[in-house]
Amino acid sequence: MTERLSLPLARRIALAAQGFGEPRPDGRVDARRVARTIRRLGLLQIDSVNVLARAHYVPLYSRLGPYDTGLLDAAAWGRPRRLFEYWAHEASLLPVETQPLLRWRMERARRQEAIYGGLARFAQERADYLAAVLAEVSARGPTTAGDLEGARGAGGWWGWSEPKRALECLFWEGRLTTATRRGFERVYDLPERVLPRDVLAAPDPHPADAQRALIAHAARALGVATAADLRDYFRFAGDEGTTAIAELVEAGELIPVRVDGWTQKAWLHRDARLPRRIEARALLSPFDPLVWERGRTERLFGFRYRIEIYVPAHKRVHGYYVLPFLLGDRLVARVDLKADRAAGTLRVPAAHAEPDAPPETADALRAELRTLADWLGLERVAVAPVGDLAGAVAGVGDRRSD
C-alpha cells in the first residue's frame, strides 16, 4: 500500500535532505563541514551572474552562514582537487568521485549526442582543428581561449571564437577539464594533470549503473521527489532515468508515496529524515538546488518563482535578482538584492512578503540581511521603499551603528 505524506511533512523532508534540518554552525566553518554539505547536495551550479555573489558560493552560505569562500575555491581549483567542473545541472561543481558516473555523458558528447547543436556540428566538421587544439593544450599546459590564436566572438556560445568553441567541445567530451578560473574565465587543461589519479584510474561504470547511482544521489538530496524532480537534478533528458528509478524501487532504496496535493507519483528515499519541525532562516540564490526547479518549488511551498533578469525593467514584478527568504519551513518573502561593492552597500531595491508571511518575517529578514552584508564585507544595508515589506525591513542600517 502506498504511503501518504502530508504536504507540510513532505516540505520538511525536502528541507532536511537539503541541509536545512540542522542549525548553522556557531563558530568557524571548517573545510570538513563545507565538504560534507557539498556531498549532501551532490553539486553546486555555476553561473556567470554576479549581482550579489557568484552562484556557487551562495548555497553554502544559506546552509552554513558566514564562511570563508576560500575553502570552496581550494576544493574546486586547489590541490589536492576535491571538486571538478562538468555539465550536470547546467555547469556545475561536483565531488571528484562523481567523475566516473558522468563518463557516459562525455562519451555521448564525443559522438556529438546530447550537446548543443551548434557545438555538435562544429565538432563534427572541425575534428582536425579539435585535435590540434587538444595537442596545443597538452604542450602548453593551462590554457584559456584568449591564449589561442583566433578572432574573438561576439558573445554567447553562438558567437564564441573558434578556439573557445573547440575548448568547450573538448571540455564536454571530457578530454579537457577546468584547471582553475581567472576571474570567471575557465582555464582548461588535461584531466590527468588536474584530477586525482585514483579517480582517473577508476573503471568506467556501465551507463545504466552510472545513471542509477546519479538518480540515487538525487533522491538523497531531494528527500521526496517525483520522477521529473529526480531526472532534473542531474539534467537527464526525456525518459532517461526511468529504468533507474524502477530498479531503485525494486531494491527498496526508493519508497513509493503519495503527497497530498500532488498529482504526480512520488518517491521517498529510504534514509530520508522525517522531522517534526524545521527552524531555518536563509536567503536562497535563484540557482539553489532547493528552488532551481520552479515547478517543484511551487508544489512544495505554494511559491511561484521566476527569475526576472531577462524581463524588461518595466515588466518586472518583484525585481532584477530576487532571492526567496526561507523562515522555518516556509518561503515567506522575496527580496531583490544587489551588492554595491564600490559603495560598500548591500542594496535592497525591493522587498515583498508572501500573503501568509508570519509577523516575525520582517525582524528575521532584517537580521539575515545584516548577516549577509557582513559576509560580503559590506558596511551598510540600504532598503528602497518598494514592496510591502520594505518599510518594516528598513533600518538595518550601518554595521558601525549596530
CSV table of all heavy atoms in Angstrom, one decimal, residues 273-308:
chain,number,residue,atom,x,y,z
A,273,ARG,N,15.1,11.8,6.4
A,273,ARG,CA,14.7,12.2,7.8
A,273,ARG,C,13.2,12.7,7.7
A,273,ARG,O,12.9,13.4,6.7
A,273,ARG,CB,15.5,13.3,8.4
A,273,ARG,CG,16.9,12.8,8.8
A,273,ARG,CD,17.7,13.9,9.3
A,273,ARG,NE,17.0,14.6,10.4
A,273,ARG,CZ,17.2,15.9,10.7
A,273,ARG,NH1,18.0,16.7,10.0
A,273,ARG,NH2,16.4,16.5,11.6
A,274,LEU,N,12.4,12.4,8.7
A,274,LEU,CA,11.0,12.9,8.7
A,274,LEU,C,10.9,13.8,10.0
A,274,LEU,O,10.3,13.5,11.0
A,274,LEU,CB,10.1,11.7,8.8
A,274,LEU,CG,9.7,11.0,7.6
A,274,LEU,CD1,10.9,10.3,7.0
A,274,LEU,CD2,8.6,10.0,7.8
A,275,PRO,N,11.5,15.0,9.9
A,275,PRO,CA,11.5,15.9,11.1
A,275,PRO,C,10.1,16.5,11.4
A,275,PRO,O,9.3,16.7,10.5
A,275,PRO,CB,12.4,17.0,10.7
A,275,PRO,CG,12.4,17.1,9.2
A,275,PRO,CD,12.1,15.7,8.7
A,276,ARG,N,9.9,16.7,12.7
A,276,ARG,CA,8.6,17.3,13.1
A,276,ARG,C,8.6,18.8,13.0
A,276,ARG,O,7.6,19.5,13.0
A,276,ARG,CB,8.3,16.9,14.6
A,276,ARG,CG,8.1,15.4,14.8
A,276,ARG,CD,7.7,15.1,16.2
A,276,ARG,NE,7.3,13.7,16.4
A,276,ARG,CZ,6.9,13.2,17.5
A,276,ARG,NH1,6.7,14.0,18.6
A,276,ARG,NH2,6.6,11.9,17.6
A,277,ARG,N,9.8,19.4,12.9
A,277,ARG,CA,10.0,20.8,12.9
A,277,ARG,C,11.3,21.2,12.2
A,277,ARG,O,12.3,20.5,12.3
A,277,ARG,CB,10.0,21.4,14.3
A,277,ARG,CG,9.8,22.9,14.5
A,277,ARG,CD,9.7,23.2,15.9
A,277,ARG,NE,9.5,24.7,16.1
A,277,ARG,CZ,8.3,25.3,16.0
A,277,ARG,NH1,7.2,24.6,15.8
A,277,ARG,NH2,8.2,26.6,16.2
A,278,ILE,N,11.2,22.3,11.4
A,278,ILE,CA,12.4,22.9,10.8
A,278,ILE,C,12.5,24.3,11.3
A,278,ILE,O,11.6,25.1,11.2
A,278,ILE,CB,12.3,22.8,9.3
A,278,ILE,CG1,12.3,21.4,8.7
A,278,ILE,CG2,13.4,23.6,8.6
A,278,ILE,CD1,13.6,20.7,8.8
A,279,GLU,N,13.7,24.7,11.8
A,279,GLU,CA,13.9,26.0,12.2
A,279,GLU,C,15.0,26.6,11.4
A,279,GLU,O,16.2,26.7,11.7
A,279,GLU,CB,14.3,26.1,13.7
A,279,GLU,CG,13.3,25.6,14.7
A,279,GLU,CD,12.1,26.5,14.8
A,279,GLU,OE1,12.2,27.7,14.3
A,279,GLU,OE2,11.1,26.2,15.4
A,280,ALA,N,14.7,27.0,10.1
A,280,ALA,CA,15.6,27.6,9.2
A,280,ALA,C,15.4,29.1,9.0
A,280,ALA,O,14.3,29.6,9.2
A,280,ALA,CB,15.5,26.9,7.9
A,281,ARG,N,16.5,29.7,8.7
A,281,ARG,CA,16.5,31.2,8.3
A,281,ARG,C,17.5,31.4,7.2
A,281,ARG,O,18.7,31.3,7.5
A,281,ARG,CB,16.8,32.1,9.4
A,281,ARG,CG,16.5,33.6,9.2
A,281,ARG,CD,17.0,34.4,10.3
A,281,ARG,NE,18.4,34.7,10.1
A,281,ARG,CZ,19.2,35.4,11.0
A,281,ARG,NH1,18.6,35.8,12.1
A,281,ARG,NH2,20.4,35.6,10.7
A,282,ALA,N,17.1,31.6,6.0
A,282,ALA,CA,18.1,31.6,4.9
A,282,ALA,C,17.5,32.4,3.7
A,282,ALA,O,16.3,32.2,3.3
A,282,ALA,CB,18.4,30.2,4.4
A,283,LEU,N,18.4,33.1,3.0
A,283,LEU,CA,18.1,33.7,1.7
A,283,LEU,C,18.7,32.7,0.7
A,283,LEU,O,19.7,32.2,0.9
A,283,LEU,CB,18.8,35.1,1.6
A,283,LEU,CG,18.1,36.2,2.3
A,283,LEU,CD1,19.0,37.3,2.5
A,283,LEU,CD2,16.8,36.6,1.6
A,284,LEU,N,17.9,32.4,-0.4
A,284,LEU,CA,18.2,31.4,-1.3
A,284,LEU,C,18.5,32.0,-2.7
A,284,LEU,O,17.8,32.7,-3.2
A,284,LEU,CB,17.1,30.4,-1.5
A,284,LEU,CG,16.6,29.7,-0.2
A,284,LEU,CD1,15.3,29.0,-0.4
A,284,LEU,CD2,17.6,28.8,0.4
A,285,SER,N,19.7,31.6,-3.2
A,285,SER,CA,20.0,32.0,-4.6
A,285,SER,C,19.0,31.4,-5.6
A,285,SER,O,18.5,30.4,-5.4
A,285,SER,CB,21.4,31.5,-4.9
A,285,SER,OG,21.6,31.4,-6.3
A,286,PRO,N,18.8,32.1,-6.7
A,286,PRO,CA,17.9,31.5,-7.7
A,286,PRO,C,18.5,30.2,-8.3
A,286,PRO,O,17.7,29.5,-8.9
A,286,PRO,CB,18.0,32.6,-8.8
A,286,PRO,CG,18.3,33.9,-8.1
A,286,PRO,CD,19.2,33.5,-7.0
A,287,PHE,N,19.8,30.0,-8.0
A,287,PHE,CA,20.4,28.7,-8.5
A,287,PHE,C,20.6,27.7,-7.4
A,287,PHE,O,21.4,26.8,-7.5
A,287,PHE,CB,21.8,29.1,-9.2
A,287,PHE,CG,21.6,30.2,-10.2
A,287,PHE,CD1,22.0,31.5,-9.9
A,287,PHE,CD2,21.1,29.8,-11.5
A,287,PHE,CE1,21.8,32.5,-10.9
A,287,PHE,CE2,21.0,30.8,-12.4
A,287,PHE,CZ,21.4,32.1,-12.1
A,288,ASP,N,19.9,27.9,-6.3
A,288,ASP,CA,20.0,26.9,-5.2
A,288,ASP,C,19.2,25.7,-5.5
A,288,ASP,O,18.1,25.8,-6.0
A,288,ASP,CB,19.4,27.6,-3.9
A,288,ASP,CG,19.7,26.8,-2.6
A,288,ASP,OD1,19.2,25.7,-2.5
A,288,ASP,OD2,20.5,27.3,-1.8
A,289,PRO,N,19.8,24.5,-5.2
A,289,PRO,CA,19.0,23.3,-5.6
A,289,PRO,C,17.7,23.1,-4.9
A,289,PRO,O,16.9,22.3,-5.3
A,289,PRO,CB,20.0,22.2,-5.2
A,289,PRO,CG,21.0,22.8,-4.3
A,289,PRO,CD,21.1,24.2,-4.7
A,290,LEU,N,17.5,23.8,-3.8
A,290,LEU,CA,16.1,23.8,-3.2
A,290,LEU,C,15.1,24.4,-4.1
A,290,LEU,O,13.9,23.9,-4.0
A,290,LEU,CB,16.1,24.5,-1.8
A,290,LEU,CG,14.8,24.5,-1.0
A,290,LEU,CD1,14.5,23.0,-0.6
A,290,LEU,CD2,14.9,25.4,0.2
A,291,VAL,N,15.4,25.4,-4.9
A,291,VAL,CA,14.4,26.1,-5.6
A,291,VAL,C,14.7,26.2,-7.1
A,291,VAL,O,13.9,26.8,-7.9
A,291,VAL,CB,14.3,27.6,-5.1
A,291,VAL,CG1,13.8,27.5,-3.6
A,291,VAL,CG2,15.6,28.3,-5.2
A,292,TRP,N,15.7,25.5,-7.6
A,292,TRP,CA,16.1,25.7,-9.0
A,292,TRP,C,15.0,25.1,-10.0
A,292,TRP,O,14.9,25.5,-11.1
A,292,TRP,CB,17.5,25.2,-9.3
A,292,TRP,CG,17.8,23.8,-9.2
A,292,TRP,CD1,16.9,22.7,-9.3
A,292,TRP,CD2,19.1,23.2,-9.0
A,292,TRP,NE1,17.6,21.5,-9.2
A,292,TRP,CE2,18.9,21.8,-8.9
A,292,TRP,CE3,20.4,23.7,-8.8
A,292,TRP,CZ2,20.0,20.9,-8.7
A,292,TRP,CZ3,21.4,22.9,-8.6
A,292,TRP,CH2,21.2,21.5,-8.5
A,293,GLU,N,14.3,24.1,-9.5
A,293,GLU,CA,13.2,23.5,-10.3
A,293,GLU,C,12.0,24.2,-9.9
A,293,GLU,O,11.4,23.9,-8.8
A,293,GLU,CB,13.1,22.0,-10.1
A,293,GLU,CG,12.6,21.2,-11.3
A,293,GLU,CD,11.2,21.6,-11.7
A,293,GLU,OE1,10.3,21.4,-10.9
A,293,GLU,OE2,11.1,22.1,-12.8
A,294,ARG,N,11.5,25.2,-10.7
A,294,ARG,CA,10.4,26.1,-10.3
A,294,ARG,C,9.1,25.3,-10.0
A,294,ARG,O,8.3,25.7,-9.1
A,294,ARG,CB,10.2,27.2,-11.3
A,294,ARG,CG,11.5,27.9,-11.7
A,294,ARG,CD,12.3,28.4,-10.5
A,294,ARG,NE,13.4,29.4,-11.1
A,294,ARG,CZ,14.5,29.6,-10.5
A,294,ARG,NH1,14.8,29.0,-9.3
A,294,ARG,NH2,15.4,30.4,-11.0
A,295,GLY,N,8.8,24.3,-10.8
A,295,GLY,CA,7.6,23.6,-10.6
A,295,GLY,C,7.6,22.9,-9.2
A,295,GLY,O,6.6,22.9,-8.5
A,296,ARG,N,8.7,22.3,-8.8
A,296,ARG,CA,8.8,21.6,-7.5
A,296,ARG,C,8.7,22.7,-6.4
A,296,ARG,O,8.0,22.4,-5.4
A,296,ARG,CB,10.2,20.9,-7.4
A,296,ARG,CG,10.5,20.3,-6.1
A,296,ARG,CD,11.8,19.6,-6.1
A,296,ARG,NE,12.2,19.2,-4.8
A,296,ARG,CZ,11.9,18.1,-4.1
A,296,ARG,NH1,11.0,17.3,-4.7
A,296,ARG,NH2,12.3,17.8,-2.9
A,297,THR,N,9.3,23.9,-6.6
A,297,THR,CA,9.2,24.9,-5.6
A,297,THR,C,7.7,25.3,-5.4
A,297,THR,O,7.3,25.5,-4.2
A,297,THR,CB,10.0,26.2,-6.1
A,297,THR,OG1,11.3,25.8,-6.3
A,297,THR,CG2,9.9,27.3,-5.1
A,298,GLU,N,7.0,25.4,-6.5
A,298,GLU,CA,5.6,25.7,-6.3
A,298,GLU,C,4.8,24.6,-5.7
A,298,GLU,O,3.9,24.8,-4.8
A,298,GLU,CB,5.0,26.0,-7.7
A,298,GLU,CG,3.6,26.7,-7.6
A,298,GLU,CD,3.3,27.4,-8.9
A,298,GLU,OE1,4.1,27.5,-9.9
A,298,GLU,OE2,2.1,28.0,-9.0
A,299,ARG,N,5.1,23.3,-6.0
A,299,ARG,CA,4.4,22.2,-5.4
A,299,ARG,C,4.7,22.1,-3.9
A,299,ARG,O,3.8,21.8,-3.1
A,299,ARG,CB,4.8,20.9,-6.0
A,299,ARG,CG,4.0,20.5,-7.3
A,299,ARG,CD,4.4,19.2,-7.8
A,299,ARG,NE,5.6,19.2,-8.6
A,299,ARG,CZ,6.8,18.6,-8.3
A,299,ARG,NH1,6.9,17.9,-7.1
A,299,ARG,NH2,7.8,18.7,-9.0
A,300,LEU,N,5.9,22.3,-3.5
A,300,LEU,CA,6.3,22.2,-2.1
A,300,LEU,C,5.9,23.4,-1.2
A,300,LEU,O,5.4,23.2,-0.1
A,300,LEU,CB,7.8,22.0,-2.0
A,300,LEU,CG,8.4,20.7,-2.1
A,300,LEU,CD1,9.9,20.7,-2.2
A,300,LEU,CD2,8.0,19.7,-1.0
A,301,PHE,N,6.0,24.6,-1.8
A,301,PHE,CA,5.9,25.8,-1.0
A,301,PHE,C,4.7,26.7,-1.4
A,301,PHE,O,4.5,27.7,-0.7
A,301,PHE,CB,7.2,26.6,-1.0
A,301,PHE,CG,8.4,25.9,-0.5
A,301,PHE,CD1,9.3,25.3,-1.3
A,301,PHE,CD2,8.6,25.9,0.9
A,301,PHE,CE1,10.4,24.7,-0.8
A,301,PHE,CE2,9.7,25.3,1.4
A,301,PHE,CZ,10.6,24.7,0.6
A,302,GLY,N,4.0,26.3,-2.4
A,302,GLY,CA,3.0,27.3,-2.9
A,302,GLY,C,3.6,28.6,-3.3
A,302,GLY,O,2.9,29.6,-3.2
A,303,PHE,N,4.8,28.6,-3.9
A,303,PHE,CA,5.6,29.8,-4.1
A,303,PHE,C,5.9,29.8,-5.6
A,303,PHE,O,6.8,29.0,-6.1
A,303,PHE,CB,6.8,29.7,-3.2
A,303,PHE,CG,7.7,31.0,-3.3
A,303,PHE,CD1,7.6,31.9,-2.3
A,303,PHE,CD2,8.7,31.1,-4.2
A,303,PHE,CE1,8.4,33.1,-2.2
A,303,PHE,CE2,9.5,32.3,-4.2
A,303,PHE,CZ,9.3,33.2,-3.2
A,304,ARG,N,5.3,30.7,-6.4
A,304,ARG,CA,5.6,30.8,-7.8
A,304,ARG,C,6.8,31.7,-8.0
A,304,ARG,O,6.7,32.9,-7.6
A,304,ARG,CB,4.4,31.3,-8.6
A,304,ARG,CG,4.6,31.2,-10.1
A,304,ARG,CD,3.3,31.7,-10.9
A,304,ARG,NE,3.5,31.4,-12.3
A,304,ARG,CZ,4.1,32.2,-13.1
A,304,ARG,NH1,4.7,33.3,-12.7
A,304,ARG,NH2,4.2,31.9,-14.4
A,305,TYR,N,7.8,31.1,-8.5
A,305,TYR,CA,9.1,31.8,-8.5
A,305,TYR,C,9.7,31.9,-10.0
A,305,TYR,O,9.8,30.8,-10.6
A,305,TYR,CB,10.1,31.1,-7.6
A,305,TYR,CG,11.5,31.7,-7.5
A,305,TYR,CD1,11.6,33.1,-7.4
A,305,TYR,CD2,12.6,30.9,-7.4
A,305,TYR,CE1,12.9,33.7,-7.3
A,305,TYR,CE2,13.9,31.5,-7.3
A,305,TYR,CZ,14.0,32.9,-7.2
A,305,TYR,OH,15.2,33.4,-7.1
A,306,ARG,N,10.0,33.1,-10.4
A,306,ARG,CA,10.6,33.2,-11.7
A,306,ARG,C,11.7,34.2,-11.6
A,306,ARG,O,11.5,35.3,-11.0
A,306,ARG,CB,9.6,33.7,-12.8
A,306,ARG,CG,8.4,32.8,-13.0
A,306,ARG,CD,8.8,31.5,-13.7
A,306,ARG,NE,7.7,30.6,-14.0
A,306,ARG,CZ,7.1,29.8,-13.1
A,306,ARG,NH1,7.6,29.6,-11.9
A,306,ARG,NH2,6.1,29.0,-13.5
A,307,ILE,N,12.8,34.0,-12.2
A,307,ILE,CA,13.9,34.9,-12.2
A,307,ILE,C,13.6,35.9,-13.3
A,307,ILE,O,13.3,35.6,-14.4
A,307,ILE,CB,15.3,34.3,-12.4
A,307,ILE,CG1,16.4,35.3,-12.1
A,307,ILE,CG2,15.4,33.6,-13.7
A,307,ILE,CD1,17.8,34.6,-12.0
A,308,GLU,N,13.8,37.2,-13.0
A,308,GLU,CA,13.3,38.3,-14.0
A,308,GLU,C,14.5,39.1,-14.6
A,308,GLU,O,14.3,40.2,-15.1
A,308,GLU,CB,12.4,39.2,-13.2
A,308,GLU,CG,11.1,38.5,-12.7
A,308,GLU,CD,10.1,39.5,-12.0
A,308,GLU,OE1,9.3,40.1,-12.8
A,308,GLU,OE2,10.2,39.6,-10.8
